[in-house]
Amino acid sequence: MDYQAVLDDIAATIQSDLGTAGSVADYIPALSRVDPFQFGMALRTRDGLEAWAGDALTPFSIQSISKVFSLTIAMRLAGERLWERIGREPSGNPFNSLMQLEREQGIPRNPFINAGAIVVADYLVTLDDDPESAILNYISGLCDEPLEIDEEVAASEAATGFRNIALANFIKSYGKLDNDVSTVLDVYFRQCAVSMNCVQLARAVNYLCRDGIHPLRDDRIISSRQARRINALMLTCGTYDTAGEFAFRIGVPCKSGVGGGIVAVIPDSLSMCVWSPALDAGHNSLPGQKALEMFTSRTGLSVF
Ligand code: DON
């Protein structure tokens, strides 16, 4: 298949329509200043072929996409113990909802809602001396490029992250957070503020379409069973209360971020990343979803 031609064609269609719908995330002030008239798309096949189109080399804030990497590291370090304090069910609620936590006594539904990712960060604080560097170096090793944390975004979220502060304190009140709330949140806010572009992200999640094998070096990142489990969680929980709609329309495991990025994995085939900052009400990139839907319908690729 000529993936480059498919991407070029999709990019041209999406670019002609930018700015007509959706809005840039504004609850993190630094993100509200991003130009919505940008769109990028990149893929990497299981065998290492790469293709990209549009603004695929422009860095953006990966935000919740970072939860895929922190979960991967935590699964490696904690093994099955991880699931003692985190569930594996879709929440059917927005990513930052507090409601279920009280009913379910401080056990987040899954590792991709904010509450779950905060507990994952807590495991990393316990299991690694320098979790922030561990996450950054890990992602950087996967895409084989140096990466940075956008300090302005990190500070902006730390100053306004009232819901995450509430979530972390609420979990702590149930005795389900081992470390200081502020230490855990610092790791979480900083992992969300990593800057990457579409090409780097398509490469960095490529191990999920290669049964857990590193995209570039052929050594194992995680077991193939763990890779399958992360893909299952992305499909069912990766886009929060719109995961059903994503599965219905796009049909592959996805993980979104409020920076406008979405990574997608087609097991045994390829990994990809789309990015465009305008979000819908579910906080997922609108042009990004459209591009993914076009890609899976044109190529016939899906997990179903
Ligand atoms: O915690 C937050 O609210 C942000 N740092 C990340 C949220 C996010 O990306 C949700 N995904 N669509």
Side-chain angles (χ1 to χ4, degrees):
M1 183 155 349
D2 186 349
Y3 286 123
Q4 187 59 57
V6 176
L7 262 51
D8 285 338
D9 192 44
I10 294 173
T13 309
I14 300 287
Q15 278 162 335
S16 66
D17 213 25
L18 284 180
T20 53
S23 50
V24 173
D26 57 5
Y27 74 98
I28 301 174
L31 293 183
S32 68
R33 296 189 276 275
V34 176
D35 171 15
F37 288 88
Q38 303 185 83
F39 171 79
M41 189 170 192
L43 65 77
R44 181 178 170 97
T45 66
R46 190 194 161 97
D47 303 325
L49 181 139
E50 289 187 348
W52 55 269
D55 302 309
L57 298 178
T58 304
F60 60 90
S61 190
I62 69 171
Q63 291 298 317
S64 285
I65 297 173
S66 66
K67 296 170 182 170
V68 175
F69 304 115
S70 58
L71 174 64
T72 302
I73 304 172
M75 283 171 84
R76 271 168 61 112
L77 295 177
E80 290 299 307
R81 249 188 323 145
L82 185 68
W83 306 112
E84 289 167 8
R85 284 195 276 137
I86 308 175
R88 284 103 51 160
E89 290 296 341
S91 66
N93 276 312
F95 64 93
N96 54 8
S97 171
L98 283 137
M99 281 195 325
Q100 267 161 355
L101 260 189
E102 179 160 31
R103 257 201 320 265
E104 296 173 7
Q105 300 189 351
I107 305 274
R109 273 284 171 109
N110 65 67
F112 289 149
I113 50 173
N114 287 7
I118 288 168
V119 175
V120 169
D122 183 52
Y123 274 98
L124 295 184
V125 171
T126 300
L127 297 169
D128 196 294
D129 292 341
D130 183 359
E132 179 189 320
S133 306
I135 298 172
L136 196 63
N137 295 338
Y138 200 70
I139 314 176
S140 173
L142 285 169
C143 64
D144 204 26
E145 289 190 24
L147 297 175
E148 280 178 8
I149 290 173
D150 184 326
E151 296 296 340
E152 191 197 346
V153 172
S156 183
E157 184 164 16
T160 57
F162 306 114
R163 267 188 178 255
N164 286 322
I165 295 165
L167 283 167
N169 278 294
F170 206 38
I171 299 168
K172 184 85 178 171
S173 77
Y174 285 100
K176 306 280 189 220
L177 213 60
D178 288 339
N179 300 284
D180 273 356
V181 163
S182 61
T183 310
V184 173
L185 282 177
D186 196 46
V187 170
Y188 173 72
F189 290 147
R190 293 182 70 74
Q191 74 178 59
C192 288
V194 172
S195 277
M196 292 176 77
N197 64 40
C198 290
V199 173
Q200 291 168 332
L201 271 168
R203 207 181 283 167
V205 294
N206 194 254
Y207 65 98
L208 293 173
C209 78
R210 303 183 90 217
D211 295 315
I213 306 282
H214 191 286
L216 308 164
R217 291 199 311 265
D218 277 349
D219 51 323
R220 185 164 283 288
I221 299 292
I222 41 171
S223 69
S224 60
R225 184 167 185 242
Q226 286 172 319
R228 278 201 303 275
R229 288 179 156 187
I230 295 172
N231 285 331
L233 288 165
M234 281 171 62
L235 184 79
T236 54
C237 315
T239 52
Y240 319 108
D241 48 341
T242 56
E245 190 67 18
F246 263 70
F248 186 80
R249 283 176 31 217
I250 297 166
V252 303
C254 291
K255 181 77 210 79
S256 60
V258 288
I262 307 173
V263 292
V265 176
I266 306 172
D268 298 324
S269 180
L270 56 85
S271 53
M272 57 195 305
C273 176
V274 293
W275 168 62
S276 195
L279 311 178
D280 65 7
H283 290 86
N284 301 305
S285 168
L286 252 182
Q289 291 175 65
K290 230 187 273 174
L292 285 174
E293 194 172 355
M294 285 172 78
F295 182 83
T296 51
S297 31
R298 282 196 197 176
T299 58
L301 292 166
S302 159
V303 293
F304 301 110

